[in-house]
Amino acid sequence: MSFNQPPPLVDYNLYDADAPLREALEREGAAWAQDMVHDLGRLAGTQEAIDWGFQANAHPPELRTHDRFGNRIDEVEFHPAWHRLMEVAIGHGLHALPWREPRPGAHAARAAAFYIWSQVEGGHGCPVSMTYAAVPALRRQPELAAHWEPIVTTLDYDPGLREAATKRGALFGMAMTERQGGSDVRTNTTRAVPVGTGGEHLLTGQKWFCSAPMCDAFLVLAQAPGGLTCFLLPRVLPDGTRNRFHIERLKDKLGNRSNASAEIELDSAWAVMVGEEGRGVRTIIEMVNHTRLDCVIGSASLMRQAVAQATHHTAHRSAFGKLLSEQPLMVNVLADLAVESEATTVLMMRLAGAFDKASDTEEAHFRRLALAVAKYWTCKRAIAVVAEALECHGGNGYVEESILPRLYREAPLNSIWEGSGNVNALDVLRAMTREPESVAAFVVEVERGQGLDVRLDRALADLKRELANPSDAETRARRVVERMAVALQGSLLVRYGDPAVADAFCASRLGGDWGHSMGTLPPAVKFTAIVERHRPATN
Ligand SMILES: Cc1cc2nc3c(=O)[nH]c(=O)nc-3n(C[C@H](O)[C@H](O)[C@H](O)COP(=O)(O)OP(=O)(O)OC[C@H]3O[C@@H](n4cnc5c(N)ncnc54)[C@H](O)[C@@H]3O)c2cc1C
């Protein structure tokens, strides 16, 4: 055993080690899923699963455009570890739990499970998330949903390009972004020409960022005669032949390297319309809403894994005669990170709970605004948290084997896809203008914490003033969204969080008794209690 080198963080249960998650699972009505999440937490802490995560990233997917005889195949080959990760994710229903078991708390249960399992590896969450998210959009076209839903909601991971009806399970992706624009999808140039009856079209054009191209089918936006429309495009046609979906190349990405993201060419590819012609954005937004929830969950998961690693490392490493976790300045950094992580976990579970209560009008209004606010803020915070947690490890954190470099490269992604930061902030403004009820529902939720902490009360009063001010709305959008996010997190924490965490959050994020980097909490904070709550107990 090397002197003063911490033991690896392994053989622990990620669920048992996560008090904020356990509390939230119960609060959001998903206690029935405890055994499943617990099982996943145990598996996620094993050396075997951790190795899968490293292997899937050390051996990224490879494109095979042609077979040995020169025929186009447009396939991507993955390392076996990728398939193991996918098997576990699909086997635990992370792609379909609420559609398989539409009971109260199902989205919350799935959120908790997705958050736990993503800590092992983030990249494979992409097709898992897109498959989960495709179902509500598919339901806009009931006969398509009747055909596809039974196949995409099984617990079988059945990779390979074959006709979907012959498979034990199928996955979905989405292709919206084009070379000339991803945020402004209305500029899409892919053409859809109607053929036959029943909404069949042939699609021609290019998509610039199409992830997980080995999925069985894609929801694609294209210009039909009646305007931008959503289509279902299978990779294999009903007669068993390949659709004309050609993979030009795979992106060489900053992170998310286990996952393939492709540039694709659609050459009169067969597709069938989903939802109304000319209402493509409205149809696919059902999918985007669910993948946005997963961006929040993904960010929470990155933060949690980073905090788990940092609190573990510093509890076993000494400098200047003391454990790092006993050095007052390090404790301040760790507590600050833990506060951010807990605030995010609590918010993520509250949001997932709102998805469960979608039939309640108030909850639906709350979700409309809170989702965009949370997507903006938690994705931004993940970047700062992971970077600072990496530094807690010193040089060891800069080395691949520590997992921190992988978390660091993954962190900016959630803020880019499904609406980059600015676009998300502008979406908050859009919701406020078009659905003013969502503002009222948001404020009511924050007010539920009123009277419990004076700093929250003041932040709420400030927020109301900000919301009432219509001037320079676009210029102020990020400022307003930030304030909304921390007010909501503060309200959730004073009601449901650990009291020491809630106090530290209100003092720093709401009361302004804070600096510009992590580790600047005021001295009255209960540092040790906070850090110990977040440190995974290992044997
Ligand atoms: C790893 C990865 C995987 C992806 N997978 C998929 C996929 O599977 N399917 C898919 O369709 N897409 C995918 N994308 C694409 C992603 O959704 C787009 O990159 C994203 O929507 C932004 O579009 P863009 O890249 O064209 O940037 P642009 O639209 O050019 O935006 C550039 C910047 O300008 C900002 N901006 C845009 N409009 C405004 C405005 N009005 N005011 C102020 N600022 C503005 C944006 O916030 C952004 O920061 C993926 C991206 C990544 C990184």
Side-chain angles (χ1 to χ4, degrees):
M1 198 71 179
S2 306
F3 169 64
N4 199 24
Q5 284 286 354
L9 181 55
V10 64
D11 291 333
Y12 74 112
N13 188 311
L14 276 70
Y15 177 64
D16 285 343
D18 196 331
L21 182 71
R22 283 188 275 111
E23 293 158 9
L25 194 70
E26 198 153 340
R27 189 165 62 242
E28 297 301 337
W32 51 267
Q34 257 168 15
D35 288 349
M36 184 272 283
V37 187
H38 185 268
D39 178 53
L40 213 45
R42 181 198 56 75
L43 191 56
T46 61
Q47 189 61 56
E48 187 182 25
I50 293 168
D51 287 346
W52 294 338
F54 279 94
Q55 289 159 3
N57 283 276
H59 306 281
E62 289 180 22
L63 175 61
R64 304 264 179 260
T65 53
H66 295 81
D67 68 11
R68 57 188 281 227
F69 305 107
N71 301 307
R72 264 211 101 112
I73 53 170
D74 299 292
E75 293 194 9
V76 179
E77 224 172 70
F78 290 88
H79 188 271
W82 166 272
H83 295 300
R84 299 290 85 74
L85 290 163
M86 289 294 294
E87 258 164 28
V88 173
I90 303 295
H92 285 79
L94 305 192
H95 66 307
L97 196 147
W99 322 129
R100 290 173 54 82
E101 292 185 63
R103 58 191 283 189
H107 284 281
R110 187 226 162 235
F114 190 64
Y115 157 100
I116 289 283
W117 189 242
S118 301
Q119 290 181 53
V120 173
E121 206 285 315
H124 78 292
C126 172
V128 174
S129 169
M130 291 194 292
T131 304
Y132 157 68
V135 170
L138 276 179
R139 287 181 178 173
R140 291 269 170 140
Q141 201 65 45
E143 73 282 5
L144 279 183
H147 176 73
W148 283 92
E149 214 176 301
I151 315 172
V152 298
T153 54
T154 71
L155 297 184
D156 293 313
Y157 172 57
D158 189 3
L161 295 182
R162 298 190 308 284
E163 211 276 297
T166 68
K167 296 187 70 172
R168 286 177 289 116
L171 300 172
F172 263 76
M174 66 156 83
M176 296 194 287
T177 306
E178 296 190 357
R179 195 172 298 192
Q180 74 283 351
S183 306
D184 190 2
V185 290
R186 286 176 197 280
T187 64
N188 272 192
T189 61
T190 299
R191 295 270 143 210
V193 177
V195 283
T197 53
E200 292 170 58
H201 286 66
L202 294 182
L203 270 51
T204 301
Q206 293 167 337
K207 294 289 172 181
W208 182 239
F209 232 123
C210 176
S211 290
M214 287 300 281
C215 286
D216 297 277
F218 292 81
L219 292 187
V220 180
L221 286 183
Q223 302 287 357
L228 195 64
T229 303
C230 180
F231 292 92
L232 186 157
L233 190 151
R235 287 226 48 197
V236 178
L237 296 170
D239 67 4
T241 59
R242 299 270 165 107
N243 208 351
R244 286 171 294 279
F245 172 111
H246 302 312
I247 305 177
E248 297 294 303
R249 61 172 174 161
L250 298 185
K251 305 277 197 190
D252 185 7
K253 294 175 290 182
L254 165 69
N256 196 252
R257 295 185 71 83
S258 64
N259 181 31
S261 297
E263 292 167 19
I264 60 168
E265 169 102 30
L266 303 175
D267 174 19
S268 291
W270 183 88
V272 58
M273 199 189 299
V274 185
E276 275 178 69
E277 183 166 346
R279 308 299 293 271
V281 173
R282 180 177 246 240
T283 304
I284 213 161
I285 205 76
E286 294 283 349
M287 183 171 187
V288 172
N289 279 337
H290 289 75
T291 46
R292 279 187 179 171
L293 173 65
D294 282 3
C295 291
V296 176
I297 301 171
S299 297
S301 161
L302 283 166
M303 288 190 221
R304 170 59 197 156
Q305 179 59 206
V307 168
Q309 294 287 348
T311 49
H312 172 78
H313 182 90
T314 50
H316 293 92
R317 173 96 171 168
S318 304
F320 301 99
K322 262 200 254 185
L323 284 171
L324 289 173
S325 59
E326 291 166 352
Q327 298 284 6
L329 187 50
M330 178 59 91
V331 178
N332 196 332
V333 174
L334 295 171
D336 220 352
L337 293 172
V339 165
E340 199 68 38
S341 169
E342 181 155 345
T344 309
T345 302
V346 169
L347 175 57
M348 151 202 128
M349 290 299 284
R350 173 66 184 89
L351 261 185
F355 276 72
D356 279 315
K357 299 175 205 111
S359 56
D360 175 326
T361 316
E362 273 293 294
E363 283 289 306
H365 289 320
F366 166 71
R367 185 189 97 174
R368 169 65 186 95
L369 198 53
L371 179 61
V373 168
K375 157 79 165 78
Y376 173 81
W377 186 236
T378 61
C379 295
K380 289 269 170 256
R381 298 307 290 155
I383 300 168
V385 167
V386 171
E388 198 66 63
L390 187 153
E391 189 174 316
C392 292
H393 293 71
N396 282 343
Y398 208 69
V399 172
E400 288 291 338
E401 291 150 307
S402 75
I403 204 181
L404 272 304
R406 172 144 54 91
L407 303 183
Y408 184 73
R409 288 192 299 267
E410 191 76 8
L413 170 55
N414 287 310
S415 194
I416 293 175
W417 67 13
E418 303 303 16
S420 306
N422 285 352
V423 170
N424 236 277
L426 295 173
D427 187 46
V428 172
L429 296 187
R430 191 176 309 113
M432 288 177 176
T433 314
R434 294 199 186 157
E435 297 172 47
E437 316 82 10
S438 65
V439 185
F442 186 93
V443 170
V444 165
E445 177 67 21
V446 179
E447 280 174 345
R448 294 200 169 109
Q450 210 164 17
L452 296 176
D453 189 292
V454 67
R455 295 154 301 190
L456 172 63
D457 295 349
R458 273 193 227 116
L460 179 58
D462 288 348
L463 176 63
K464 285 180 178 169
R465 270 192 296 279
E466 284 279 359
L467 292 173
N469 174 5
S471 63
D472 303 313
E474 283 201 25
T475 310
R476 288 169 46 240
R478 282 189 180 221
R479 289 168 61 94
V480 174
V481 176
E482 278 188 11
R483 285 173 192 207
M484 293 174 81
V486 291
L488 177 58
Q489 287 182 317
S491 171
L492 293 170
L493 283 174
V494 296
R495 284 178 281 155
Y496 310 130
D498 174 76
V501 171
D503 180 58
F505 186 93
C506 290
S508 54
R509 278 77 170 164
L510 301 181
D513 196 357
W514 202 28
H516 294 282
S517 58
M518 291 286 180
T520 50
L521 291 170
V525 161
K526 294 194 173 69
F527 297 105
T528 308
I530 295 173
V531 175
E532 282 307 302
R533 173 173 166 82
H534 286 259
R535 185 173 68 82
T538 49
N539 301 324

